[in-house]
């Protein structure tokens, strides 16, 4: 690989750059998700007042009577809104779920346990398996929130550079795993209960008693990990690296570092932390083995909704991350006092500020949307339209994936996007017999595949900076064009995998049916 710098040349703006510039300008005009939900709430109020005088030839499946739109701008409705504003926020299901899970993950991340684990996985990888292992590690990094963006992606460039391969190919492969494979993971993470909370709230627009298990998609996302790895491996080595052969690394690029170097203390700390984590898992297994276990349902089942184990998924994520995090932090000296652990939790909560603000407005919007019956009306009319088209369920699911991928170019937040379109799509698909769990799986595919080509994704500019360490002429269009093959291949391959998965009736996850009966 040549390290000779190329002479400066005028940058030619191509069609792809013009398209991405248009997307960037349009997307920058979209307000913050919190403001978006505020205006959505106002729109629901106004629409409810107008539609409350309209008669619809629809039957509300929740009541069995004629559908009516409730006017939310009456004095009584507004008084109830003010009186219940606090409890609406504190009772918002995704809020507590995400914050509790992130407390444990934050301790593990802050201590350095997750960072050392990722380095160890990469350090023992054979050269021929460097690409798939990098993508797999990128997928696993989702358990640590944004760790993949700040650690794995730049590390991808470093290890490829150290191996004599083009560093931009390593960055692209890692980016594809971290962001393009965002919903592919065989390890439960905060995104699972987060999306399940929104899915459950959306499903309850039609069925107030419907419950969605936080691990409703865990089998599908686990096997999807291998699909994403295979696709990313092929695209990296057969498309991206040959294309980058004509792009030399700048002569003054960063030097190749000592890959995977870590102290004996860090290695020992990681060993003790893993032993502690395995001990915690062993205790849990022994606790659930007896048929009379308190973690089982009254009927002795483990995966039933009534089983305390299923209600404890999020607390277990918290515990199984905080144990190795504390042990690792103690051994390396990161956590010298108990106050250091609390500080790590506090710092993690500090990063959740924007999510908490967004959750406040989102909770108010979702409650109003449900009370107005507008969501029910849209879902039923949408279902009638789908029935009139007489499309097979597979075509409907693929359409949902494409719609989500397009919306993702303008609204990057996974949770904000699902909170906006979930209350419409989930009940609509329920009305034509598709379960909320399957709708959520389809959403996760569409939400992931277009992340890597959207300049509005918050970490996209950061990845451009990583690339500029090696090729200073790299711009947004350069990165987007480099990631486009990954996006297209994942969109096609992952969608086909979901359809095949559905056809074979492989379980999506815990208590996750494919169909729903009104």
């Amino acid at each position: 690989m040549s390290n000779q710098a190329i002479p400066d040349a005028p940058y030619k703006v191509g069609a792809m750059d013009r398209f991405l510039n248009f997307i960037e300008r349009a997307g920058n005009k979209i307000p913050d998700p919190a403001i978006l939900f505020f205006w959505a709430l106002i729109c629901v109020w106004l629409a409810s007042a107008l539609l409350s005088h309209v008669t619809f030839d629809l039957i509300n499946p929740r009541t069995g009577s004629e559908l009516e739109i409730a006017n939310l701008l009456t004095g009584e409705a507004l008084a109830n809104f003010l009186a219940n504003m606090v409890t609406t926020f504190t009772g918002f299901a995704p809020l507590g779920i995400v914050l509790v899970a992130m407390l444990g993950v934050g301790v593990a991340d802050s201590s350095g346990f997750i960072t050392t684990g990722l380095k160890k996985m990469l350090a023992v990888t054979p050269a021929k398996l460097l690409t798939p292992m990098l993508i797999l590690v990128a997928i696993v990094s989702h358990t640590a929130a944004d760790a993949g963006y700040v650690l794995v992606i730049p590390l991808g460039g470093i290890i490829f550079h150290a191996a004599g391969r083009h560093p931009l190919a390593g960055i692209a492969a890692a980016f594809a795993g971290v962001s393009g494979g965002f919903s592919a993971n065989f390890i439960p993470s905060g995104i699972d209960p987060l999306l399940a909370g929104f899915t459950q709230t959306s499903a309850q627009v039609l069925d107030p008693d419907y419950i969605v298990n936080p691990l409703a998609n865990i089998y599908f996302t686990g096997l999807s990990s291998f699909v994403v790895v295979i696709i990313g491996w092929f695209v990296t080595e057969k498309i991206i690296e040959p294309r980058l052969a004509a792009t030399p690394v700048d002569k003054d690029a960063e030097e190749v570092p000592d890959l995977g170097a870590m102290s004996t203390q860090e290695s020992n700390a990681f060993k003790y932390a893993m032993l502690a984590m395995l001990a915690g898992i062993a205790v849990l297994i022994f606790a659930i083995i007896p048929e009379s276990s308190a973690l089982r349902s009254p009927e002795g089942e483990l995966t039933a909704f009534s089983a305390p184990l299923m209600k404890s998924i999020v607390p277990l994520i918290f515990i199984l991350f905080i144990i190795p995090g504390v042990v690792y932090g103690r051994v390396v000296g990161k956590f010298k006092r108990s106050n250091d652990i609390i500080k790590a939790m506090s710092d993690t909560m500090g990063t959740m500020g924007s999510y908490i603000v967004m959750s406040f407005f989102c909770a108010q919007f979702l409650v109003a949307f449900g009370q107005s019956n507008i969501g029910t009306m849209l879902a039923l009319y949408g279902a009638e339209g789908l029935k009139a088209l007489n499309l097979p369920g597979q075509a409907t699911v693929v359409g949902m994936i494409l719609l989500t991928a397009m919306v993702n170019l303008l609204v990057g937040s996974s949770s904000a996007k699902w909170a906006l379109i979930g209350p419409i799509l989930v009940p609509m698909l329920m009305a034509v017999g598709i379960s909320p769990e399957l709708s959520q799986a389809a959403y996760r595919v569409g939400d992931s595949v277009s992340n890597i080509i959207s300049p509005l994704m918050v970490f996209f500019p950061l990845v451009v900076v990583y690339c500029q360490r090696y090729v200073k002429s790299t711009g947004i269009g350069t990165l987007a064009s480099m990631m486009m093959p990954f996006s297209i291949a994942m969109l096609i391959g992952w969608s086909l995998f979901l359809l095949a998965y559905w056809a074979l009736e492989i379980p999506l996850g815990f208590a996750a049916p494919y169909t729903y009966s009104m």
Side-chain angles (χ1 to χ4, degrees):
M1 180 180 64
S2 173
N3 286 331
Q4 200 171 19
I6 57 174
D8 293 336
Y11 182 70
K12 296 181 179 179
V13 180
M16 176 61 69
D17 294 292
R18 288 194 292 271
F19 171 71
L20 291 172
N21 289 338
F22 167 76
I23 293 293
E24 185 174 10
R25 287 194 301 270
N28 286 338
K29 295 180 181 179
I30 297 177
D32 184 88
I35 299 298
L36 201 62
F37 283 117
F38 170 75
W39 286 115
L41 174 64
I42 300 299
C43 290
V44 167
W45 281 350
L46 295 174
S48 70
L50 295 173
L51 296 175
S52 62
H53 303 291
V54 179
T55 301
F56 300 95
D57 56 344
L58 297 170
I59 300 299
N60 190 331
R62 293 182 293 177
T63 62
S65 57
E66 187 176 287
L67 178 69
E68 295 181 355
I69 302 299
N71 186 352
L72 301 183
L73 284 183
T74 64
E76 182 180 357
L78 291 174
N80 286 332
F81 170 77
L82 292 174
N84 296 316
M85 180 183 287
V86 174
T87 54
T88 296
F89 174 48
T90 57
F92 187 51
L95 180 64
I97 288 173
V98 173
L99 295 184
V100 170
M102 287 306 299
L103 283 174
V105 173
V107 171
D109 190 23
S110 178
S111 70
F113 168 71
I114 292 177
T115 299
T116 300
L118 293 174
K119 287 183 178 180
K120 278 186 170 290
M121 290 178 67
L122 290 171
V124 299
T125 304
K128 292 183 178 179
L129 298 179
L130 188 60
T131 302
M133 181 55 74
L134 173 61
I135 298 173
L136 182 61
V137 170
I139 291 171
V140 173
S141 71
H142 298 153
T143 57
D146 298 330
Y149 291 103
V150 298
L151 172 67
V152 180
I153 293 177
L155 198 57
I158 292 171
I159 63 174
F160 266 52
H161 199 191
R165 298 168 65 178
H166 203 294
L168 263 60
I171 291 174
F175 191 23
V178 172
S179 197
F182 180 71
S183 285
N185 203 341
F186 49 84
I187 299 176
S189 63
I191 192 65
D192 295 296
L194 172 62
L195 293 182
F198 285 116
T199 304
Q200 177 174 302
T201 304
S202 300
Q204 289 175 351
V205 170
L206 274 189
D207 187 343
D209 299 322
Y210 201 92
I211 302 295
V212 176
N213 191 291
L215 298 182
N217 290 156
I218 191 62
Y219 299 151
F220 172 70
T221 58
L223 290 176
S224 292
S225 301
F226 300 102
V227 174
V228 171
V229 168
I230 292 171
I231 293 174
W233 188 1
F234 175 83
V235 172
T236 300
E237 298 193 356
K238 300 299 182 182
I239 300 176
I240 302 304
E241 286 193 281
R243 182 168 178 249
L244 288 172
T247 305
V249 176
D250 291 340
K251 185 168 57 177
D252 57 346
E254 294 184 358
E255 295 183 359
V256 181
D258 182 11
L259 179 64
M262 65 185 72
S263 66
T264 302
Q265 185 183 38
E266 289 175 329
S267 294
N268 289 334
F270 184 77
K271 179 177 67 176
Y272 296 139
M274 284 301 299
L275 289 174
M277 188 177 192
L278 292 174
I281 294 174
V283 169
L284 175 62
I285 292 173
F286 281 115
I288 64 177
I289 287 177
E291 292 187 4
S292 60
S293 171
L295 292 172
R296 293 177 177 265
S297 69
E299 295 77 24
E301 298 179 356
L302 282 174
T303 58
F305 285 122
S306 58
L309 178 67
M310 290 295 100
K311 298 178 181 179
S312 305
I313 296 296
V314 174
L316 287 173
I317 292 175
F318 166 75
I319 294 170
L320 292 177
F321 273 101
I322 202 171
I323 289 175
V326 170
V327 171
Y328 184 94
R330 288 284 190 182
V331 176
V332 299
K334 177 75 173 181
F335 297 150
K336 297 179 179 178
R337 302 176 302 163
S338 58
N339 288 351
D340 296 330
I341 301 172
I342 301 302
K343 183 179 184 301
M345 292 183 179
S346 300
D347 291 343
T348 300
M349 289 299 99
T351 64
M352 301 299 291
S354 60
Y355 173 76
I356 295 173
V357 173
M358 186 272 289
S359 294
F360 172 78
F361 291 100
C362 179
Q364 312 304 325
F365 160 72
L366 288 177
V367 166
F369 194 66
Q371 290 176 344
S372 68
N373 285 330
I374 293 176
T376 303
M377 178 198 70
L378 293 174
L380 294 177
Y381 274 128
E384 287 188 353
L386 288 175
K387 290 178 181 177
L389 291 174
N390 198 27
L391 294 173
Q394 290 81 356
T396 303
V397 167
V398 170
M400 179 178 175
I401 293 173
L402 293 172
L403 172 65
T404 303
M406 289 187 289
V407 173
N408 192 38
L409 293 173
L410 295 176
V411 182
S413 170
S414 178
S415 55
K417 187 162 57 266
W418 192 223
L420 278 173
I421 66 178
I424 297 174
L425 292 179
V426 170
M428 180 187 299
L429 296 182
M430 287 171 69
V432 294
I434 295 176
S435 72
E437 291 82 2
L438 178 55
S439 297
Q440 178 179 282
Y443 170 78
R444 296 180 77 155
V445 173
D447 176 56
S448 298
V449 297
S450 59
N451 279 333
I452 49 181
I453 58 172
S454 173
L456 300 180
M457 199 272 289
V458 292
F459 289 103
F460 197 92
L462 180 63
V463 180
V464 173
V465 173
Y466 292 150
C467 292
Q468 290 172 343
R469 294 176 179 176
Y470 305 99
V471 180
K472 290 182 172 56
S473 60
T474 301
I476 287 178
T478 306
L479 179 59
S481 63
M482 187 167 61
M483 300 310 299
M484 186 67 73
F486 289 102
S487 182
I488 295 172
M490 287 181 180
L491 175 63
I492 296 172
W494 206 348
S495 298
L496 291 175
F497 176 70
L498 175 58
L499 295 179
Y501 197 96
W502 182 8
L504 295 172
E505 296 186 348
I506 304 172
L508 288 166
F510 292 122
Y514 282 101
T515 59
Y516 174 80
S517 298
M518 291 287 289

